Amino acid sequence: MAWVYEFSQGNKDQKDLLGGKGANLAEMTTLGLPVPPGFTISTETCRAYLAEGGEPEGLAEEVSAHLASLEEAMDKRLGDADDPLLVSVRSGAKFSMPGMMETVLNVGLNDTSVGGLAARSEDERFALDSYRRLLQMFGGTVLDVDSELFSEALDEAKRARGSESDLDLDADDLRALVETFKAIIKEQTGRDFPQEPREQLDLAIRAVFDSWNTDRARLYRRQERIPEDLGTAVNVQAMVFGNFGMDSGSGVAFTRDPASGEQGVYGDYLQNAQGEDVVAGIRNTVSLADMSDIDKTSYDDLMGIMTRLERHYRDMCDIEFTVERGKLWMLQTRVGKRTPEAAFRIAVHMVDEGLIQMDEAVLRVTGDQLALLMFPRFDDSAERTLLAKGMNASPGAAVGKAVFDSDTAVEWAARGDDVILVRKETNPDDLRGMVAARGILTSRGGKTSHAAVVARGMGRTCVCGAESLDVDARAKEFRVRDGVTVSEGDVISIDGSTGEVFAGAVPVSDSVVVRHFEGEKLDDDLAHAVARIMAHADGARRLRVRTNADTPEDAARARRFGAQGIGLCRTEHMFLGERRELVEKLIVAEDAAGVEEALAALLPLQREDFTGILEAMDGLPVTIRLLDPPLHEFLPDLTELSVEVALAEERGEVDERAATLLTHVRRLHEQNPMLGLRGVRLGIQIPGLFLMQARAMAEAAADRLAAHGTPRPEIMVPLVASVRELEIVRTAIERVIAEVEEARGVTLDIAIGTMIELPRAAFLADRIAKAADFFSFGTNDLTQMAWGFSRDDVESSFFSRYFEHGIFDVSPFESLDQRGVGGMVEMGTTKGRETKPDLKVGVCGEHGGDPLSVHFFDRVGLTYVSCSPFRVPVARLEAGRSVL
Ligand code: PEP
Ligand code: MG
């Protein structure tokens, strides 16, 4: 088993071993593209290094051997005094983590070899510029010196030159800067910059391994759900130089626009610069189109290669390249990150171009992306004041208070403010602030800058390179050309789809995707793309998709969004508002007659509720759940009411109503209401309550039949743990239905089923199925009961520690704990169907709209998932993807 692989040994499918960058460098090498030679130290080596706390045995020898063949291929020796080979050392994990880990360029330069490089290149300025870059990068990343110290010294040198650009520094300036940088390193680390080339290389490799575990890398992985134990590969590659003068340069490019998905190449080029300059937004770049004026030959070569790569990968690629004295070199390619809009459009365009099939197009988009596309956008017709226009780096409409540093962004967001992080340019240390912010605005850098790449990855709105803004982070303000100043806390609006920045809060309007789902006929490429993808997913999926809705309006919307019925109508919302008083009467009733009276008053209201919903879902199944929450939720708060009564008493007043209510609130008070008198237990304790609901449902169905509708109500009993509970309630409900049938002269077909939301119910599902026409897993409660986590408290309490420790990387309330809670779902389904092979089984907890959970439910053979109306399209898409 080797630790190190030559580029020519691998291919693009070996990302596990070689990391993304290494695998694709290998692929390009095999394709015969101009890739500077080099080798990749595998991710396995990194894992061994991290586990053992040091370089694994044999690594040093393997590096020596591969370095020797690289030296032979280049006919140069690393750090040679006369004609030095220089190498870049770059990280490259399986999943791209832009800017999160280390890169060191120009390894091999020292006080002697810099002279050799100057002599060979006949360009002293270039050699010194390369050396100062090595000192800066090596100092910052390998030796852990605060990078600000280098940037400040560089700024100081530019100031002394009276220039804004590093290009104006001459050889003398750079020689002085090299000395300054070395002094900084000595002062900060207590040691000299290592002059020995091999030592530089080994330390740089080690720094890349170590960078896997920096705070920012860990945070990024958690954010992107990248596993902690993958490790990174290290790519060591012969340097080519984009900073060789104006006939050289570096660039990044996409084979299509990563923001909109529009056909046509897209990218940034920077003359006389190394790759890091482009991404960091240090100088403003020119577009690829302009590159054709600067260096037509390299531009044409690049276009040819990009076309080839896109056809080869059958996907949009992003590319890093360098031109050294008129010769084009490819430094990286990969399937490029893109916005949700671009993902849908590119997938469908590629079908039309014959590159992929529809199945693959559906697999290339995700439910999460679709959900992002359903967010509102700024209302075009609203009045607004344009402050600036930058690049549309990551779409969306974000409104928030301007903040100028990550700490403030995190702090303000934690207290509930929406914030927009405004920076000149972002660097990886800004990640926390970007996570906390609604949107990101920068004044420098292109669509491939750090801010843009990371924001797109996270689905954050981003406008970058708004050059007319003068961002002053120290003064916590930015100035707009015509004298307007925006200070910390001022509200701004940024449009990531157009690149516009507005003063104040601009109102937002519906997305085209939502308008399409709502049935509007639109001549819009994105809407067409979404329609085609959805149609294909619908054609493929097994799972049915229902919705959780408690009003006719929600039901109707969900139906337009493609819902095939209601999987959960929670009736507790129907007991709030003005009806609270009736519920109160029910609770304080002194005798059976009082209870009857209160229920009789509720009956017509409930009937009306159900009629509306059955009408909106006419012809489709509507699962109505009997009242679930404990009754005290409908009463005033115990403490508040106690204070109110005590104060009244102090004043010598008597409030009979409040005093009586207080008695009942005390009576119903429970230490653990989630484990108390709720669900089926309420139905057994106060039978009239469930029966009133069942009667209202049966009467509503009869009314709908009379109106020539096709009502398909289903009654669902919550929180059942024992088949006896269900039998008792079921028998009583059946009697009520029979009474309504008799009274109205109709036959009603009303299924009676149960929720499975207690572990006991999952274990005894075969028994419970005897009394149930269907099951619906309440995975919210099932998660709560399985883990013993209070669903109302834990997420804001100790979960962050759980994430830190990797106990789970996503809340089990958000994405199903497949092993634990999922195991119960699978067992409950199997056992239920042992009793009734055709048992319909659904899920109606929040997980019904979560992509990963949907795939799980499909795998274990559920009949349907049910989720909130806005998640219905997401579930449809994911149910299709699960099959394909
Ligand atoms: C559940 O527990 O998953 C469920 C759907 O019911 P509720 O969220 O209303 O408790
Ligand atoms: Mg529940």
Side-chain angles (χ1 to χ4, degrees), residues 30-48:
T30 318
L31 281 174
L33 299 183
V35 176
F39 53 87
T40 302
I41 304 170
S42 71
T43 57
E44 217 158 62
T45 320
C46 177
R47 289 193 292 272

Side-chain angles (χ1 to χ4, degrees), residues 111-407:
D111 291 350
T112 328
S113 63
V114 69
L117 183 66
R120 285 285 161 167
S121 63
E122 297 173 16
D123 188 344
E124 192 183 19
R125 183 195 177 281
F126 153 74
L128 287 162
D129 185 47
S130 303
Y131 195 19
R132 73 93 188 155
R133 287 167 187 273
L134 169 65
L135 291 164
Q136 189 168 356
M137 269 189 247
F138 198 94
T141 64
V142 181
L143 303 175
D144 241 355
V145 178
D146 179 0
S147 358
E148 281 291 308
L149 295 172
F150 297 110
S151 319
E152 276 166 21
L154 180 60
D155 284 344
E156 181 55 44
K158 287 194 270 188
R159 225 171 297 136
R161 251 292 138 208
S163 166
E164 298 243 308
S165 167
D166 55 315
L167 292 185
D168 291 329
L169 299 178
D170 65 16
D172 289 336
D173 298 328
L174 290 165
R175 190 174 301 108
L177 204 53
V178 161
E179 291 312 314
T180 311
F181 281 7
K182 284 200 289 192
I184 291 174
I185 289 175
K186 177 89 195 244
E187 192 184 301
Q188 296 293 314
T189 66
R191 56 167 287 187
D192 286 315
F193 170 73
Q195 292 288 321
E196 173 56 47
R198 178 59 195 263
E199 187 188 357
Q200 290 175 8
L201 177 61
D202 290 339
L203 288 174
I205 292 170
R206 179 176 267 243
V208 173
F209 287 154
D210 288 334
S211 68
W212 177 257
N213 276 334
T214 57
D215 288 346
R216 69 180 193 222
R218 283 168 183 273
L219 174 62
Y220 186 86
R221 287 199 289 273
R222 207 177 319 138
Q223 190 76 21
E224 299 291 313
R225 297 193 192 167
I226 297 174
E228 276 296 305
D229 55 0
L230 296 178
T232 179
V234 185
N235 300 288
V236 178
Q237 188 174 25
M239 282 295 305
V240 287
F241 297 96
N243 58 335
F244 229 138
M246 296 311 269
D247 59 352
S248 304
S250 289
V252 283
F254 290 87
T255 55
R256 308 196 178 207
D257 187 332
S260 67
E262 209 74 61
Q263 273 121 325
V265 292
Y266 197 91
D268 305 308
Y269 181 66
L270 193 56
Q271 270 174 290
N272 199 7
Q274 284 195 329
E276 309 311 300
D277 303 341
V278 183
V279 183
I282 292 196
R283 275 183 265 141
N284 280 318
T285 52
V286 302
S287 73
L288 270 194
D290 290 341
M291 182 191 166
S292 74
D293 298 335
I294 297 170
D295 180 352
K296 181 87 169 76
T297 316
S298 302
Y299 175 81
D300 288 344
D301 285 351
L302 181 65
M303 292 303 119
I305 289 174
M306 280 165 80
T307 308
R308 218 174 132 196
L309 283 174
E310 206 182 77
R311 305 230 143 234
H312 181 72
Y313 282 83
R314 297 180 310 113
D315 206 344
M316 184 263 266
C317 297
D318 85 16
I319 284 158
E320 287 181 19
F321 64 93
T322 278
V323 177
E324 181 184 297
R325 293 193 162 161
K327 159 118 181 86
L328 175 71
W329 292 96
M330 303 302 292
L331 297 187
Q332 174 172 319
T333 192
R334 65 185 165 199
V335 167
K337 292 203 178 194
R338 62 205 71 185
T339 63
E341 172 167 351
F344 275 82
R345 293 182 68 195
I346 290 173
V348 170
H349 293 167
M350 288 197 163
V351 171
D352 292 340
E353 291 163 31
L355 284 173
I356 59 173
Q357 302 287 315
M358 253 337 260
D359 280 3
E360 182 153 10
V362 173
L363 288 173
R364 284 193 182 177
V365 296
T366 67
D368 284 336
Q369 289 172 328
L370 182 62
L372 285 172
L373 287 176
M374 292 172 71
F375 283 124
R377 296 192 166 184
F378 286 130
D379 185 350
D380 290 338
S381 59
E383 201 151 297
R384 50 212 200 163
T385 315
L386 185 70
L387 290 177
K389 194 158 182 333
M391 283 185 229
N392 52 336
S394 180
V399 180
K401 295 179 178 169
V403 294
F404 294 83
D405 61 273
S406 273
D407 284 342

Side-chain angles (χ1 to χ4, degrees), residues 730-741:
R730 182 180 182 112
T731 309
I733 291 175
E734 280 174 341
R735 206 170 335 130
V736 167
I737 294 174
E739 280 169 24
V740 174
E741 284 179 324

